[in-house]
Amino acid sequence: GVMTVSELRAFHQQHRFREAEIMHDIISPGWVVEFRGQDGHLYMMTDTLGCPMSFSSTEEARDHIHLVADCPIQVEHLYRFFER
């Protein structure tokens, strides 16, 4: 599923996300956020047009996660070897 920050917040108040994951954006050099529901479904954080929101840093992504839910946050580190 895809949801805006306000939609994600409303969903969380009803169902509680299990965790959030900050992942490398495949399309652009940034980070995207997905929330995992109790049922294992993933929900991508998007803008109002339905495009995944891309953040320039994990800190910025974390700030947006905190707007939605106080849940555990995983950061994907697959590309650690690219970072200098």
Side-chain angles (χ1 to χ4, degrees), residues 21-79:
E21 188 169 6
I22 300 172
M23 298 174 305
H24 288 266
D25 189 345
I26 299 160
I27 301 156
S28 66
W31 301 87
V32 293
V33 171
E34 266 185 349
F35 288 88
R36 187 177 297 278
Q38 298 294 342
D39 57 3
H41 275 94
L42 292 173
Y43 300 89
M44 174 77 67
M45 184 184 286
T46 66
D47 60 22
T48 49
L49 299 175
C51 300
M53 288 182 72
S54 186
F55 303 102
S56 55
S57 67
T58 54
E59 288 72 29
E60 191 187 359
R62 273 176 205 277
D63 289 343
H64 279 74
I65 290 169
H66 291 311
L67 294 175
V68 170
D70 186 17
C71 63
I73 299 173
Q74 305 282 334
V75 180
E76 176 188 61
H77 285 299
L78 293 178
Y79 302 100

Side-chain angles (χ1 to χ4, degrees), residues 3-12 17 35 43 45 68:
M3 294 192 197
T4 63
V5 168
S6 54
E7 288 169 335
L8 287 163
R9 190 187 299 127
F11 184 93
H12 178 67
F17 288 116
F35 288 88
Y43 300 89
M45 184 184 286
V68 170

